[in-house]
Amino acid sequence: MNDVNINYMVGDKEFYTPLSEIRDGVPLAPAAMPGAWSCTRWDVWALWQEPGVTHIVEDGWKVHVSARPDRLQEVLDTVAGVCVEQTIPFKHLSTQRFFDLVHHKFASRSQSGKVVAAYPPDIPAARRLMERLREELADEQGPAVLTDRPFQGSKTVFYRYGAYIPRPRVNADGTRTLLVRDGTGRLVPDLRASSFRLPDAITDPFAAPRTARESASGAGSAAKAPDTTEFFNGFAIKNSVRYTNAGGTYRGVETATGRRVFVKEARPHNGIGDGDLIAAEQVRREWRILTDLHGLAPGLAPQPLSYFRVCDHDYLVMEHVEGIVLSNWLALNHPLLSIDTTESDFAAYYERCERIIGALESQLEHLHGHGYAFVDVSPGNVLVGPDDSVRLVDFGAAHRIGDDGFIRTGTHGFAAPEQLIGDDVTVCDRYGACAMSLFLLAPLNQVAEKHPGALAHLHHDLSERAPVPPALWERATRFHAVDEGCEPTPEQVSADPAGRLRILREQIADALIAVARVEQPGRVFPTIPQGFETNTVCLAYGTAGVVHALRRAGRELPSGLLDRLRRDALDDGAGLGPGLYVGTAGAAAVLAESGLPDEARILLDKADSHPLAGECATLFGGAAGVAMAHLVVYGRTGDEYHVERALALAESLPADEALTPALGKDDATGLLHGRCGIALMLQQLAGVTGDDRLLARAVRLLHAELDRAVDPGGSALQFPVSRADKRVMPYLYCGSAGMLFAVSRCLRATADERLAEALPRLKAAAGLTYTIMPGLFQGTSGLAFALADHAALHEDEPARRAALTTARGLFKFAIPHPTGARVLGDQLLRYSAELWSGSAGVLLALDHVLDPRPDVLFTVDALIDGRRKAR
């Protein structure tokens, strides 16, 4: 379970769900509260206050209290008593389950430790409260609150300056930043980082002078991370690898010898993992296992070098194992991820896979022979050397065979089902090795666990490129009934791809309609974590995107759905950004296409006046997207006002050389966050207005994007995500397919040589037959969509056939359901319905491949073509 999705994966086994919707768990409450005090449930909290008390200020010194898991109730009772005595409003985690989740190994580090939060009205009240709590809780301990500073050395009482009243400011990507007033009265980000920070012109009235020893050791600070200036029992930390709520992992050296080491840190009373073990217990357990194994079979596991404690943090030091994790090895070597690979390339790759899996199985058998099972065999726990040698790392889940207290754990897609394990824990390793074999063929593990029949389609797709060695395939599918429930079969799809895809399209739409909850509060359709972190109305992650896909596919909307979208968009419009994909502009475009132009006008007026329309230039969340929405509404209404607004937005864009700050993070590339999307808007506006200056700028921006191709002379053009993120992407949101979408349109308007030369290489990059996810913007559907879109614009029959071939790959991801067919959303951990990565996007792509029509993705090509013919 990764740290991004933990908050959304514990409430429901089918769909992503926020913690606030969890209703089970043992309630937490003070043992006694005065009858006059009222309690209100809010999010994961229970808020207590005395009626009539109005001294809560907007900003101030929050007091947070932490507690050990086994002392939770006692600490809560003590804090509640003091807060009642001093008439201080406070809140606490409302259930034991929320406590466990907030302190989970993969929970948010910025929220961890906060069991109780109190809101004193001023500095004297805060001081009185903390002094009393420090006395009352003198014998208690708890996890550090990383955002805070401990009060006078307390192990449980912490404080920070922040906003008492939430003031969210929407960002261009749809997320929100909470604000606080600094010492000058300005609203600035209320940072909840993993260290204590103060707004400008705010000083800490509670800080005591720190001794030189405290400054050097970090004592008195909130979990200060080690760095290269500090030494720990003969070891020096060089750099961090990863931080979790349990602590950090680091690379370092043994100072006496220069030997490279790997260090695991355990924060005290925190990082609850499987088996309810806190981080320190997990690290101590791993130390014992590594020590035992090193005595039995040196080299089988990383050599343990030292175990010690500094400032209540436990540290395990072991040898540094050379190699790269298997997931990175796959990304660097898999021929599926390249365009120009041959059958011999696949044969060589499969030979290496068999060598790696054979070495892994040998290591596991060796481990079993010494009485241990590894348990968590997964791509992040296997390192591959330059010679394809294999080493197991991270023995935190390992278990002595035959001992009681087995803790079932593992990584999604690689952990053996409980019913398979029984009394034989070595099954975990055999299952994991087979799952690793499948991963090396194609990372389809999560889908295969829900629908083994998908593997038949995978085998068929792989075999079209090169034969799969039977022994490797047998390893990969040993625990899966591949041929059961495979309907249609790969042969049936090959015989009639369009016909079978039409059936799949209807099955996807049927299941999509079945999950609509038009009358329920909150979201209407299942979404992904990004939806909860932005909004569930918008085009990318919410109702608007699903409505758009269903309408484009010719399906009747569930009763009341369009009115629900209208109400939600108008009611929530003040809290949304302006963007096409995450804000009011996208909702406006969908409402206009649904016959509600007046509502669309209201929403676009809100988008135009939003500050982000002047600060952000992108198609996703800024001015380019708002302008595109205006053109869509113009195409429906003929109201020249919308063309005027689109022109004004285009004219307000920064000059080419000053555009970078108005793009996505770190000078992003791509259709949604980079210059490519702005170029698309300019080309569309030029087509409507006939202004060649706009078209010329669109071409310049596309040239600038081409300048960033990772292999400009290669047979396929691909692009990094940004200046900082060097991952190479072929997708619609960022990469080759998005460039193809924009370049295809520019080439209909101008015969630019450089764009014409790039076009076939963009098509080649979009012709990948496998991606990790199926979605429209970051998966297979988007590649098929872009090829089909280009084919329709340019009457390109080879591209149309390529789109159909790519779309066939969606059978690898389609999971049968009694209501039709579903797909797993972003990260393939839960089902989702949204346009970005879920069923709605797959539906839209399938419909465009099978029955292409103009302007599926909020362009106005039909309008432009009509004007061109009229000239």
Side-chain angles (χ1 to χ4, degrees):
M1 192 175 293
N2 64 47
D3 50 352
V4 173
N5 292 317
I6 174 64
N7 286 350
Y8 304 100
M9 292 192 55
V10 294
D12 193 288
K13 293 187 180 299
E14 287 196 318
F15 305 116
Y16 293 107
T17 305
L19 290 183
S20 58
E21 295 185 9
I22 297 176
R23 290 293 180 263
D24 60 343
V26 177
L28 284 177
M33 287 293 291
W37 282 64
S38 63
C39 181
T40 304
R41 169 75 183 267
W42 176 71
D43 196 47
V44 302
W45 301 96
L47 173 65
W48 293 88
Q49 55 189 344
E50 187 176 32
V53 174
T54 59
H55 62 222
I56 292 184
V57 294
E58 291 187 350
D59 308 280
W61 293 96
K62 298 181 180 181
V63 176
H64 292 118
V65 179
S66 66
R68 285 177 7 203
D70 60 334
R71 295 288 298 171
L72 179 56
Q73 186 63 55
E74 290 81 0
V75 170
L76 177 56
D77 289 342
T78 298
V79 177
V82 174
C83 286
V84 168
E85 178 185 293
Q86 299 187 9
T87 323
I88 303 292
F90 70 97
K91 67 182 182 182
H92 60 82
L93 294 172
S94 58
T95 69
Q96 176 70 51
R97 190 176 187 198
F98 286 144
F99 176 89
D100 293 342
L101 292 172
V102 166
H103 295 83
H104 190 278
K105 178 179 180 179
F106 295 121
S108 166
R109 299 173 75 229
S110 65
Q111 292 302 313
S112 180
K114 299 174 183 178
V115 174
V116 184
Y119 300 91
D122 50 38
I123 291 173
R127 188 183 302 278
R128 286 194 301 271
L129 176 64
M130 290 191 289
E131 286 175 344
R132 180 66 183 281
L133 290 175
R134 180 176 177 273
E135 293 172 4
E136 294 290 332
L137 301 173
D139 296 329
E140 300 287 350
Q141 295 187 4
V145 179
L146 297 183
T147 59
D148 292 24
R149 180 170 282 169
F151 180 71
Q152 296 182 4
S154 174
K155 296 296 181 68
T156 58
V157 182
F158 301 82
Y159 64 92
R160 68 179 291 267
Y161 188 85
Y164 284 10
I165 307 299
R167 297 189 196 92
R169 181 185 67 194
V170 69
N171 303 314
D173 64 359
T175 60
R176 286 167 173 77
T177 297
L178 294 176
L179 303 177
V180 64
R181 291 198 184 279
D182 68 9
T184 68
R186 293 181 307 135
L187 286 174
V188 297
D190 189 3
L191 298 174
R192 287 164 170 80
S194 55
S195 61
F196 180 77
R197 299 182 184 181
L198 289 173
D200 288 343
I202 298 289
T203 58
D204 183 352
F206 314 112
R210 301 174 69 199
T211 66
R213 179 182 179 85
E214 286 175 332
S215 298
S217 68
S221 66
K224 184 177 184 296
D227 57 39
T228 55
T229 65
E230 299 190 66
F231 297 88
F232 295 82
N233 287 43
F235 301 95
I237 301 299
K238 288 296 184 183
N239 59 281
S240 62
V241 178
R242 185 187 187 192
Y243 290 106
T244 70
N245 205 23
T249 52
Y250 310 92
R251 295 186 183 93
V253 295
E254 188 175 33
T255 54
T257 64
R259 178 183 184 178
R260 298 180 69 193
V261 298
F262 188 80
V263 183
K264 278 191 175 183
E265 172 196 31
R267 295 177 58 206
H269 316 300
N270 210 337
I272 299 172
D274 295 311
D276 294 330
L277 298 180
I278 61 172
E281 293 169 332
Q282 298 168 46
V283 170
R284 282 196 294 270
R285 182 176 179 275
E286 185 171 3
W287 164 256
R288 291 193 296 268
I289 290 170
L290 291 177
T291 302
D292 192 16
L293 284 172
H294 185 66
L296 293 169
L300 181 58
Q303 180 184 356
L305 300 174
S306 184
Y307 189 96
F308 53 86
R309 178 173 292 182
V310 175
C311 299
D312 296 329
H313 290 226
D314 288 59
Y315 291 91
L316 164 60
V317 184
M318 65 191 83
E319 72 166 301
H320 182 274
V321 178
E322 300 293 338
I324 62 173
V325 294
L326 193 66
S327 52
N328 291 345
W329 183 90
L330 178 142
L332 292 171
N333 292 285
H334 205 310
L336 268 181
L337 304 179
S338 301
I339 300 298
D340 300 322
T341 49
T342 65
E343 186 171 318
S344 62
D345 293 325
F346 275 88
Y349 173 76
Y350 290 147
E351 184 178 340
R352 295 183 72 187
C353 290
E354 291 185 301
R355 188 159 58 244
I356 287 170
I357 295 300
L360 173 62
E361 290 176 336
S362 177
Q363 292 247 338
L364 292 171
E365 289 173 5
H366 195 190
L367 185 65
H368 298 166
H370 288 284
Y372 278 90
F374 189 73
V375 179
D376 187 15
V377 180
S378 58
N381 291 340
V382 174
L383 296 184
V384 182
D387 58 351
D388 292 344
S389 59
V390 167
R391 286 288 302 272
L392 292 166
V393 294
D394 196 349
F395 279 70
H399 182 78
R400 189 192 294 273
I401 298 170
D403 281 3
D404 294 332
F406 170 66
I407 300 171
R408 183 174 177 268
T409 186
T411 302
H412 286 280
F414 300 87
E418 191 170 1
Q419 63 271 20
L420 282 180
I421 300 172
D423 296 326
D424 184 5
V425 296
T426 64
V427 171
C428 297
D429 293 351
R430 293 195 293 275
Y431 185 95
C434 292
M436 295 283 270
S437 301
L438 174 57
F439 177 79
L440 289 173
L441 289 174
L444 205 68
N445 298 67
Q446 289 102 321
V447 176
E449 288 190 342
K450 293 182 179 295
H451 177 43
L455 296 176
H457 292 283
L458 173 63
H459 187 265
H460 185 270
D461 287 358
L462 290 172
S463 298
E464 285 187 334
R465 302 287 297 270
V468 182
L472 183 59
W473 182 251
E474 190 281 328
R475 272 176 167 146
T477 60
R478 189 172 298 163
F479 288 91
H480 297 295
V482 176
D483 296 324
E484 292 183 13
C486 183
E487 173 61 38
T489 66
E491 293 72 25
Q492 290 170 327
V493 173
S494 294
D496 182 18
R500 292 294 177 173
L501 285 170
R502 289 183 187 280
I503 295 172
L504 178 60
R505 176 181 61 181
E506 299 311 308
Q507 290 173 332
I508 293 285
D510 288 343
L512 192 53
I513 291 170
V515 296
R517 299 293 181 265
V518 177
E519 301 302 325
Q520 76 174 11
R523 66 193 177 282
V524 177
F525 292 95
T527 187
I528 53 178
Q530 295 95 310
F532 297 112
E533 291 162 5
T534 56
N535 67 86
T536 57
V537 177
C538 66
L539 192 60
Y541 311 124
T543 311
V546 183
V547 167
H548 178 65
L550 288 172
R551 289 190 70 258
R552 280 287 176 166
R555 297 299 295 264
E556 183 178 350
L557 299 180
S559 176
L561 178 59
L562 184 60
D563 188 56
R564 171 67 187 272
L565 172 61
R566 180 190 66 81
R567 294 197 317 270
D568 286 352
L570 292 173
D571 292 347
D572 296 346
L576 302 182
L580 180 61
Y581 283 95
V582 284
T584 50
V590 173
L591 290 177
E593 290 191 335
S594 303
L596 298 171
D598 293 339
E599 288 85 345
R601 171 72 177 262
I602 293 170
L603 291 172
L604 282 177
D605 285 346
K606 290 180 179 179
D608 284 345
S609 62
H610 199 286
L612 282 172
E615 298 170 9
C616 175
T618 68
L619 193 66
F620 188 77
V626 179
M628 287 289 283
H630 273 294
L631 293 180
V632 169
V633 178
Y634 171 68
R636 292 288 174 174
T637 65
D639 187 347
E640 292 289 341
Y641 164 83
H642 294 291
V643 178
E644 294 170 5
R645 289 304 310 143
L647 279 168
L649 287 162
E651 293 295 336
S652 70
L653 292 173
D656 291 4
E657 62 274 11
L659 196 56
T660 297
L663 300 177
K665 182 181 179 182
D666 299 319
D667 193 8
T669 67
L671 183 67
L672 296 193
H673 301 290
R675 292 169 179 80
C676 176
I678 301 168
L680 174 68
M681 180 276 289
L682 293 169
Q683 176 272 322
Q684 294 280 289
L685 185 55
V688 170
T689 63
D691 189 338
D692 289 338
R693 293 181 304 112
L694 298 171
L695 181 61
R697 188 175 187 193
V699 171
R700 288 201 310 272
L701 292 178
L702 290 175
H703 285 184
E705 202 85 324
L706 289 172
D707 289 341
R708 298 176 67 178
V710 295
D711 184 10
S715 60
L717 284 174
Q718 293 181 302
F719 305 85
V721 176
S722 68
R723 295 288 182 199
D725 188 343
K726 301 300 184 182
R727 290 176 300 159
V728 175
M729 297 297 192
Y731 298 127
L732 189 61
Y733 93 94
C734 171
S736 314
M739 276 290 284
L740 176 60
F741 189 79
V743 167
S744 290
R745 283 163 173 77
C746 273
L747 283 175
R748 296 184 79 211
T750 180
D752 182 79
E753 289 186 11
R754 188 173 182 193
L755 296 184
E757 188 275 334
L759 183 65
R761 295 188 292 153
L762 291 171
K763 288 194 293 181
L768 287 173
T769 58
Y770 179 82
T771 63
I772 292 175
M773 290 179 278
L776 177 63
F777 284 100
Q778 31 72 301
T780 299
S781 293
L783 305 189
F785 178 93
L787 288 167
D789 181 78
H790 168 79
L793 288 173
H794 291 268
E795 298 182 358
D796 185 337
E797 182 59 25
R800 189 195 70 79
R801 292 195 299 270
L804 197 64
T805 298
T806 300
R808 281 172 45 195
L810 290 170
F811 283 102
K812 295 192 293 290
F813 298 98
I815 299 173
H817 187 267
T819 62
R822 292 175 170 179
V823 297
L824 295 170
D826 187 58
Q827 304 304 310
L828 302 181
L829 298 171
R830 294 291 187 269
Y831 295 113
S832 187
E834 34 65 56
L835 192 72
W836 178 266
S837 70
S839 295
V842 174
L843 175 63
L844 193 70
L846 283 172
D847 190 67
H848 200 42
V849 169
L850 295 168
D851 299 303
R853 289 181 287 271
D855 306 322
V856 175
L857 209 57
F858 303 100
T859 53
V860 288
D861 297 322
L863 175 63
I864 294 170
D865 286 347
R867 295 201 165 191
R868 185 183 296 121
K869 291 175 183 177
R871 287 173 188 149

